[in-house]
Amino acid sequence: MEDKTFNNELKPRSGGLWSAVFQGMAFVGPAATAASFFVVEAAVVGPSVPLTYMIAVLGVACAMYMNYRFSQRISHAGGYYAFVEAGLGKRMGVFSGWLYLFNLLGAVSGFVMLFFAGILWPLIPVLSGYTYGWLPLIFIPFTVMFVFLYRGLKPSLYYTTIGSIIEITFLILMSLIIIIKIGPGNSILPFTTTGHSFSAIGLATVFAILGYVGLGSMITISEETHEPKKNIPKAILIAVVLSFVVYAFSSYALVVGWGINNMSSFATTSNPGFIVVEKYLGLIGMVLFILITLNSFISESIAQGNAFSRVGYAMARDRMIFPYSWSETHTKYGSPKKIIAFEMPVSLAVAIIAGILFGPFTAATILTTMNGISLYIVHIISNISLPVWGKLKLKTKITDLLLMIFIPLVASVIYIFAIYGSIIPFPGYPFDIGIYLIIPVIISGIIIALITKNRESKIVD
């Protein structure tokens, strides 16, 4: 029997269509991606970075088809946890939820806190001379994230919406200015392989796919969104198109701005994007880009924190993994306060320990590898769940069922390739740590799933 001595209801109608769109865009963090993954991809394929985003968006569109179809019928704060349970049952749902939470924890600790600190650290002379000068900087996204998560979804969505609009507008205008100033130097080459092998293009595309990760995160705020079965599917479509446009423009502009024939040095230069922007937009433009990039990490932390707290809350509400009492929400703000109280110190501890051991950038790469693999597995399982759910629960006709099978299948193949690209060739120390650590996470998830009791979830279908 449920304990009704505390409130455990989220606040409905806290957001609408566009706040859901920018929940996804904030999770993606296009400026943060430009400052991090663009550099990694350039090391693999040189000037062909824009091509990888064109290829990646095809796979991402296939992946988001699963989110689109489920969200038309299911509104649940657990997101993929609920989607998998709907088709494959409670135990597989719990296993997927466990991996997704682990993915989010790694994303907040690694991609947000450590990358943020690593990028800002060399820009502050008083800190850049010290080995651990980056350490106090991780408390900036941590503090902002905690305040907004605790205050409830509506303030978070206001922040991420305004921040994302400014970020996207700046990136598009910045790109157009660079492209116009380049003039005759513009070329179609960045949209070709530029002589790179299929395997190199494939590996770089793996990182490009990571740049789109989080687009579907608006499914975790569906219970708090106005008319979710109408607005969440629309938000998914808009976010896919919007993110592609931003990446296509910004990646191309930074490549031609740096110089197509000089991209080998792009990959070995600290913060090359800032250098390009200063060259074409001046000091003020560079400062604005730095501030927007740093805020992109902060917005991303809020979006990721929203996703973690909602999934954790939903699982606690269903008495899965977390105690039922952890589903308690703030009486005024409607925020899952106990899950947040767990999420924040754990993510901070992971960031500090990993950063001290390996340095901010290496630690962030290790954590990103771990959370990437776990997310790919969640998506593959969700893709399998979709046609099973369609057949068993919706009694879907054969033509629609074939779409449910084959479109997500394309995404699953890409995710399998992404997992392969993450471990083959097997990375050397310390980057292999991320591969080794994912093994106990998967094993523990299997054990938790096996001991899970079948309880009915609060799935709105």
Side-chain angles (χ1 to χ4, degrees):
M1 194 170 174
E2 292 189 354
D3 180 1
K4 291 297 183 180
T5 60
F6 60 82
N7 178 64
N8 74 337
E9 296 295 327
L10 298 170
K11 277 197 170 184
R13 303 169 68 92
S14 293
L17 171 63
W18 288 104
S19 56
V21 169
F22 291 115
Q23 158 69 21
M25 291 303 298
F27 198 120
V28 164
T33 299
S36 53
F37 288 137
F38 282 9
V39 179
V40 177
E41 290 149 22
V44 181
V45 294
S48 296
V49 174
L51 174 65
T52 66
Y53 281 93
M54 291 184 64
I55 298 172
V57 76
L58 299 176
V60 170
C62 291
M64 289 300 101
Y65 177 79
M66 174 269 296
N67 294 57
Y68 180 85
R69 292 303 301 269
F70 270 125
S71 63
Q72 289 179 314
R73 297 295 296 270
I74 296 176
S75 301
H76 193 285
Y80 299 114
Y81 153 65
F83 291 174
V84 172
E85 180 188 338
L88 302 180
K90 174 64 71 178
R91 287 186 172 87
M92 288 302 296
V94 169
F95 177 68
S96 300
W98 169 259
L99 289 184
Y100 189 60
L101 287 173
F102 179 78
N103 152 67
L104 291 169
L105 182 65
V108 171
S109 302
F111 189 76
V112 172
M113 293 187 185
L114 288 170
F115 264 134
F116 176 93
I119 288 174
L120 185 57
W121 176 32
L123 302 177
I124 302 177
V126 72
L127 296 176
S128 61
Y130 296 92
T131 302
Y132 299 110
W134 56 270
L135 188 53
L137 298 176
I138 67 174
F139 287 91
I140 298 175
F142 172 84
T143 303
V144 176
M145 177 183 171
F146 174 74
V147 170
F148 277 99
L149 292 187
Y150 186 77
R151 294 278 295 181
L153 186 63
K154 187 169 287 189
S156 298
L157 294 178
Y158 282 149
Y159 186 93
T160 53
T161 297
I162 294 171
S164 294
I165 290 173
I166 294 172
E167 180 178 348
I168 292 167
T169 302
F170 178 85
L171 288 173
I172 295 294
L173 290 177
M174 172 202 80
S175 301
L176 289 174
I177 291 171
I178 294 173
I179 292 169
I180 292 170
K181 286 190 174 183
I182 289 292
N186 285 292
S187 171
I188 198 172
L189 281 176
F191 298 100
T192 70
T193 63
T194 59
H196 289 87
S197 66
F198 172 77
S199 60
I201 295 295
L203 179 58
T205 301
V206 169
F207 289 104
I209 290 173
L210 283 174
Y212 289 100
V213 163
L215 278 181
S217 65
M218 67 275 289
I219 61 175
T220 62
I221 63 168
S222 58
E223 290 186 35
E224 300 159 274
T225 300
H226 177 62
E227 296 185 342
K229 293 173 186 175
K230 172 185 174 183
N231 286 323
I232 297 298
K234 283 184 179 180
I236 291 170
L237 295 177
I238 294 171
V240 170
V241 174
L242 191 56
S243 59
F244 170 67
V245 170
V246 174
Y247 282 143
F249 269 98
S250 58
S251 62
Y252 174 78
L254 291 180
V255 166
V256 296
W258 187 266
I260 292 174
N261 297 322
N262 301 320
M263 286 303 290
S264 58
S265 61
F266 185 93
T268 58
T269 302
S270 177
N271 296 324
F274 299 159
I275 296 173
V276 174
V277 174
E278 182 181 22
K279 179 179 178 181
Y280 291 95
L281 277 74
L283 180 61
I284 294 176
M286 183 191 71
V287 171
L288 286 174
F289 187 34
I290 291 172
L291 293 176
I292 286 171
T293 299
L294 294 174
N295 185 69
S296 180
F297 282 106
I298 291 175
S299 292
E300 190 165 355
S301 73
I302 295 170
Q304 291 171 349
N306 280 333
F308 186 103
S309 61
R310 268 60 189 177
V311 175
Y313 155 84
M315 299 189 81
R317 184 179 60 189
D318 293 343
R319 292 182 168 85
M320 298 297 161
I321 297 181
F322 301 110
Y324 177 71
S325 61
W326 285 26
S327 67
E328 182 176 359
T329 55
H330 195 284
T331 54
K332 180 179 179 181
Y333 304 129
S335 56
K337 59 182 185 179
K338 290 188 176 179
I339 293 294
I340 293 170
F342 166 80
E343 170 190 7
M344 295 306 302
V346 172
S347 60
L348 180 64
V350 170
I352 291 175
I353 294 170
I356 289 174
L357 289 175
F358 305 109
F361 284 118
T362 299
T365 303
I366 292 170
L367 292 172
T368 300
T369 300
M370 288 192 298
N371 78 265
I373 293 175
S374 62
L375 181 63
Y376 297 149
I377 295 172
V378 170
H379 270 276
I380 291 169
I381 296 172
S382 300
N383 289 339
I384 295 170
S385 178
L386 178 63
V388 176
W389 170 73
K391 178 65 175 176
L392 297 180
K393 303 293 177 65
L394 302 185
K395 309 299 181 183
T396 305
K397 294 181 179 179
I398 186 64
T399 52
D400 198 25
L401 185 62
L402 288 174
L403 291 176
M404 288 185 170
I405 293 172
F406 287 108
I407 294 179
L409 179 62
V410 173
S412 293
V413 170
I414 293 173
Y415 286 128
I416 290 171
F417 180 78
I419 294 173
Y420 176 85
S422 299
I423 61 179
I424 304 296
F426 199 80
Y429 179 84
F431 300 103
D432 58 343
I433 293 175
I435 309 298
Y436 290 125
L437 288 181
I438 193 66
I439 297 173
V441 172
I442 292 173
I443 292 174
S444 58
I446 293 172
I447 294 172
I448 291 171
L450 289 175
I451 63 176
T452 293
K453 295 180 180 179
N454 283 318
R455 294 191 179 97
E456 184 179 355
S457 296
K458 182 184 176 182
I459 294 182
V460 183
D461 185 4

